Amino acid sequence: MRLLLAPEGLGSNYRTMRPMSDLIATVQCHWRMKLCLGTLLGLLYCTGYLLIERHPWRPPVELGLTAIDRWIRFSPEWVWVYQSIYLMLPLLLLATTPAEVRRSAIGFAAVTLASFSCFCLWPVLGPRPESVPVTGMYGFLTRLDLPLNSFPSLHMAVASYSACVGIALSRGRWKRLLAVTLPGWVLLIGYSALATKQHYLVDL
């Protein structure tokens, strides 16, 4: 067994630095493959999502509000938590083998395409109020994202998938850290989807 000893004088600082250097090396491996697949998936996600909500195949329907939907008041300031999902996507970069990269990409594509199928066949109008802020991050969100593509919540699906992949692919200290923090983060994103009135409870 090979022992890794800290260089003299570094001590605990070296042990703190090593997980970060391992993380950087993990992200960089197979970077061309990750870049190509990430670009393709990004184009699939953004192009498909925007086209479907701007050109619905059928007249959209509205769902009834549950007691929880009514209890959670409209709070546009939760938009920052809602948008934090994009900070979770780099978790897919933790793949260290070509097989892991492919499986992670295929899973993301499957989740996305399954949601797109629902959006096309059963367009649902979300519970967003008619009067909403037009400035700031919430204003940016509403200008970009129409109140369609509600059921199921692709936002919640991608957050949950990213968290599961991140925990599955991480190792050592990072795995322990992500296993504790990511489930809570996903729950907060779920709450933000209801607080910003982007989704109904049943969407989640």
Side-chain angles (χ1 to χ4, degrees):
M1 179 182 295
R2 182 165 61 95
L3 298 179
L4 295 176
L5 300 178
E8 184 178 358
L10 289 182
S12 61
N13 289 334
Y14 177 79
R15 291 190 292 272
T16 301
M17 293 161 52
R18 184 162 185 81
M20 183 58 68
S21 62
D22 290 344
L23 176 62
I24 294 173
T26 296
V27 171
Q28 289 177 337
C29 70
H30 307 295
W31 67 269
R32 291 183 179 85
M33 185 179 185
K34 292 176 180 177
L35 179 62
C36 290
L37 287 176
T39 301
L40 289 174
L41 290 175
L43 289 173
L44 168 68
Y45 184 97
C46 295
T47 304
Y49 188 92
L50 295 175
L51 282 176
I52 291 171
E53 70 174 3
R54 282 162 173 73
H55 303 283
W57 292 8
R58 303 173 61 184
V61 301
E62 293 186 58
L63 302 181
L65 297 175
T66 66
I68 293 179
D69 289 311
R70 290 190 291 269
W71 176 70
I72 297 177
R73 65 181 183 87
F74 175 55
S75 304
E77 60 270 15
W78 275 88
V79 69
W80 292 100
V81 178
Y82 186 78
Q83 294 290 66
S84 72
I85 185 178
Y86 299 107
L87 299 178
M88 300 183 74
L89 296 181
L91 291 169
L92 303 181
L93 299 177
L94 295 177
T96 56
T97 67
E100 288 179 348
V101 176
R102 284 193 297 271
R103 285 200 299 269
S104 300
I106 290 172
F108 184 94
V111 168
T112 301
L113 293 174
S115 297
F116 284 178
S117 299
C118 293
F119 298 159
C120 290
L121 297 175
W122 194 41
V124 175
L125 190 66
R128 184 189 298 172
E130 292 185 6
S131 178
V132 297
V134 296
T135 59
M137 177 55 75
Y138 194 87
F140 171 78
L141 173 65
T142 55
R143 286 194 298 272
L144 183 67
D145 187 13
L146 302 180
L148 279 173
N149 295 351
S150 178
F151 180 87
S153 172
L154 180 56
H155 208 82
M156 192 65 171
V158 169
S160 301
Y161 180 75
S162 299
C164 289
V165 170
I167 294 171
L169 295 180
S170 57
R171 296 165 180 81
R173 295 181 183 178
W174 288 109
K175 192 177 192 72
R176 292 191 292 271
L177 176 63
L178 295 180
V180 172
T181 59
L182 290 182
W185 191 354
V186 171
L187 289 175
L188 287 174
I189 289 176
Y191 180 85
S192 72
L194 300 178
T196 55
K197 300 306 175 184
Q198 287 289 104
H199 291 281
Y200 302 92
L201 177 64
V202 69
D203 298 342
L204 275 57

